[in-house]
Amino acid sequence: MQVGEVSSGGSSHRGAGASGTVSEDRRVTVFSANGRLYQVEYAWNATRLAGVTSVGVRGADSVCVVGQRRASEPKDKLLDMTSVSRLFPITERLGLLATGIVGEGRALAHEARNQTAEFRFKWGYEMPPDVLAQWIADRAQIWTQYGSKRPSGVVAMILGIDDEKETPQLFTCDPAGYFFGHKAASAGQRDREADNFLEKKMKNNPSLSFQETIETAISALQFALKEDLKATEIEVGAVRTDDPTFRVLTEAEIDEHLKANNPGKAELKATQFLSY
């Protein structure tokens, strides 16, 4: 190993040498010798370390996102779980699901609300979903160019209805500043498992109804987590073309969709209840 290099995680990076330079994995503005920005990669890791997984699905006339309702400290038995949320209404027609560090997701949602309010005041109509996604991506990308900032440890899912096309839209924005439109998407700790499920389900571009869209998203999350979910453990947000208002489903509504996903289990519970 040459003088001025340090070993980090089994790989060698140029570190603080005689000239007092800082290694490239400590500055977001410095590329490594092989063209990587390590701080951006660390931000990606932070989105998974939160221990939650999120799924979004776009149907024929609706779009839905499903996320885990889980606290940063899952062992805290005194916590009121209804106060834990990563799903934020941005405008009456736009929603945002933040996967990653809770505080940064909340800060992003607050800034997004300010931006959409300024857009409406300036142009006289609601900000479209793709414009909001582009703004969030631009914000993330700018933060990779200044040493005084760091990438945000959040993957944002934006859902809404395009007023001109009258079609549902689903976008993801990542810490590197990319944003993409999706038929279905996932983020978080078990995103690869959810993607595997969604790729098979959406392979033939099915025309999903509102109910099917929600149930597909829930099924993908259950498949990724390898467990049956309760209504209190997830939060679901959806928008429909015939009613473009963003709304968060109640626990009773979520429970109905869970029963539709697991009809056999629901019948077994009913039988056990009646037997008492």
Side-chain angles (χ1 to χ4, degrees), residues 179-232:
F179 82 98
F180 296 104
H182 295 271
K183 294 183 291 185
S186 65
Q189 188 177 41
R190 296 186 176 272
D191 57 347
R192 293 178 181 86
E193 291 86 345
D195 280 343
N196 290 337
F197 177 92
L198 292 169
E199 285 173 4
K200 295 177 181 177
K201 187 71 175 180
M202 307 296 289
K203 184 178 180 180
N204 298 320
N205 295 319
S207 181
L208 301 176
S209 65
F210 176 63
Q211 183 171 346
E212 290 171 337
T213 301
I214 295 176
E215 290 170 8
T216 298
I218 293 175
S219 295
L221 185 58
Q222 289 189 137
F223 178 85
L225 299 177
K226 301 294 189 293
E227 63 180 76
D228 292 328
L229 297 169
K230 299 178 182 177
T232 56

Side-chain angles (χ1 to χ4, degrees), residues 47-48 51-53 68 70 99 187-193:
T47 67
R48 296 186 172 95
V52 297
T53 304
Q68 287 181 266
R70 181 176 177 181
T99 307
Q189 188 177 41
R190 296 186 176 272
D191 57 347
R192 293 178 181 86
E193 291 86 345

